[in-house]
Amino acid sequence: MNVLITGAAGNLGSFLSRHLLAGPHQLKLMTHHQELPPEIASHPNTTVYQADLGRIETLYTPCENTDCIVHFAGRLFAPRPERFLPETNVTYVRNLVSAALAGGVGKFILISFPQVEGESRPENPASGTLLGSPESVHARTRLEAERQLFAACEAGGMAPVSMRAGMIYGRGVLMIEAAHRLLERRLLGIWRKPTWTHLISLPDFLCSIEAAIEGSHVRGIYNLGDEAPLTLQEFLDRAAGHWGTPKPWRAPDWVFYLAAWCVEAYALLFRSASPLTRDFIKIGMASYVSDTTRMRQELLPQLLYPSLAAGIELL
């Protein structure tokens, strides 16, 4: 198969690229500003395309003779996400879907997250619908992108797929590495209110995406998660124990919103990156637990790491 990966130079995009290099597929790797790691760019199974998702005319060539698209690309770590996410999460997907339909692409896999359905818990898990009403801008715009994808594919021959992944953990995952560094310096805190989260190990995430690429029957929404949801507070405490660092300190919610406001203000003033925003805090405080039945039935019947206890060595 010819597989186009957008955001191939990003964190998860580069992980998927490396994972698929061992297989039979030809990879078409799309980048914009970032450079691909040399060992990926020079591999005989890869072709590299530079394109701008904001300019649809640059997307037609990468989409030609493509069997499947896996869309990671987006923008993070910038202040005031409400100003750019409607473009990067919605308009960019619309452009890529239009180019894919014009190029006769067979399948479009959008990497998403379960928070698009809003709050969910073990007693009321996210079921995999497009009817959510989330609070954060990140989740609202990603849900709008999902809706556009499925609506556009109704009239065309392309199969739409949304892969709603829980928190992905493993060595090299940026959020996990950042948490480790902050814990070592006693700089990581967490709010007191228990927040449910649904983990999935990096190897299981990559195997799920590979199965979605290759499965001729795959279509629709898939929630990706392991068999043992837990709270974010418990995850961080157990990670700290594994790393031998102090546990994260607890603080009231307003402390984190204030910290995010300060980081955003600094980033706006000095035109720098903003690793923390108020919308990140809002989506981070939203509990999410997913019904992963479809994943187990159609993609990955048996997880390599069914719980954090089984995958703790991956941290």
Side-chain angles (χ1 to χ4, degrees):
M1 296 175 67
N2 291 323
V3 180
L4 173 63
I5 301 174
T6 72
N11 187 226
L12 294 176
S14 61
F15 272 120
L16 181 64
S17 300
R18 288 189 180 93
H19 178 76
L20 294 178
L21 284 177
H25 308 304
Q26 293 294 314
L27 303 186
K28 306 169 79 172
L29 306 180
M30 185 189 295
T31 67
H32 188 199
H33 297 300
Q34 286 183 275
E35 294 290 330
L36 280 163
E39 72 275 12
I40 297 178
S42 62
H43 195 280
N45 284 358
T46 65
T47 304
V48 181
Y49 295 87
Q50 277 201 319
D52 182 350
L53 288 162
R55 297 172 55 212
I56 193 171
E57 66 272 15
T58 70
L59 305 178
Y60 292 117
T61 298
C63 288
E64 292 176 354
N65 301 313
T66 295
D67 298 298
C68 179
I69 293 174
V70 184
H71 180 55
F72 284 100
R75 186 183 180 192
L76 290 173
F77 310 125
R80 301 287 300 278
E82 64 275 8
R83 298 189 305 177
F84 62 81
L85 284 176
E87 179 181 20
T88 60
N89 272 6
V90 181
T91 303
Y92 285 8
V93 170
R94 183 189 305 130
N95 289 345
L96 186 59
V97 169
S98 296
L101 288 169
V105 174
K107 184 184 298 179
F108 191 113
I109 299 175
L110 176 64
I111 306 301
S112 187
F113 39 85
Q115 292 97 323
V116 298
E117 283 195 39
E119 285 265 352
S120 54
R121 295 175 178 274
E123 64 274 15
N124 185 29
S127 58
T129 76
L130 295 171
L131 302 176
S133 54
E135 293 186 8
S136 72
V137 180
H138 277 84
R140 288 202 306 270
T141 52
R142 182 57 77 189
L143 179 60
E144 178 58 28
E146 289 189 25
R147 289 169 174 165
Q148 287 193 167
L149 169 64
F150 282 84
C153 291
E154 282 185 1
M158 187 166 66
V161 181
S162 173
M163 304 289 275
R164 295 179 178 174
M167 182 193 293
I168 301 164
Y169 70 94
R171 292 188 191 91
V173 176
L174 287 180
M175 297 296 286
I176 302 301
E177 296 295 333
H180 191 180
R181 289 193 297 271
L182 291 171
L183 282 171
E184 287 180 324
R185 294 163 176 79
R186 301 191 178 189
L187 294 175
L188 185 64
I190 189 66
W191 43 89
R192 294 174 179 144
K193 179 184 177 182
T195 301
W196 282 96
T197 188
H198 208 153
L199 303 177
I200 185 166
S201 73
L202 179 61
D204 285 320
F205 169 75
L206 297 175
C207 288
S208 295
I209 303 301
E210 182 179 17
I213 291 169
E214 296 176 350
S216 58
H217 61 285
V218 172
R219 185 186 189 99
I221 297 170
Y222 294 83
N223 290 318
L224 309 183
D226 65 18
E227 299 170 7
L230 73 174
T231 66
L232 181 58
Q233 290 78 2
E234 182 183 357
F235 168 72
L236 291 173
D237 285 348
R238 291 171 67 178
H242 174 72
W243 290 323
T245 66
K247 293 181 179 180
W249 39 267
R250 268 53 167 181
D253 294 1
W254 66 265
V255 171
F256 299 94
Y257 281 108
L258 177 61
W261 182 89
C262 292
V263 171
E264 285 189 86
Y266 179 92
L268 286 168
L269 183 61
F270 294 99
R271 297 185 179 181
S272 63
S274 182
L276 188 64
T277 68
R278 285 162 290 176
D279 202 61
F280 275 161
I281 299 299
K282 185 178 292 185
I283 197 171
M285 287 184 176
S287 288
Y288 63 93
V289 175
S290 300
D291 180 349
T292 60
T293 303
R294 281 201 78 192
M295 178 197 74
R296 294 195 304 273
Q297 291 177 341
E298 301 179 24
L299 300 177
L300 210 59
Q302 187 168 355
L303 296 173
L304 294 170
Y305 303 96
S307 66
L308 179 60
I312 192 74
E313 295 300 325
L314 296 176
L315 292 177

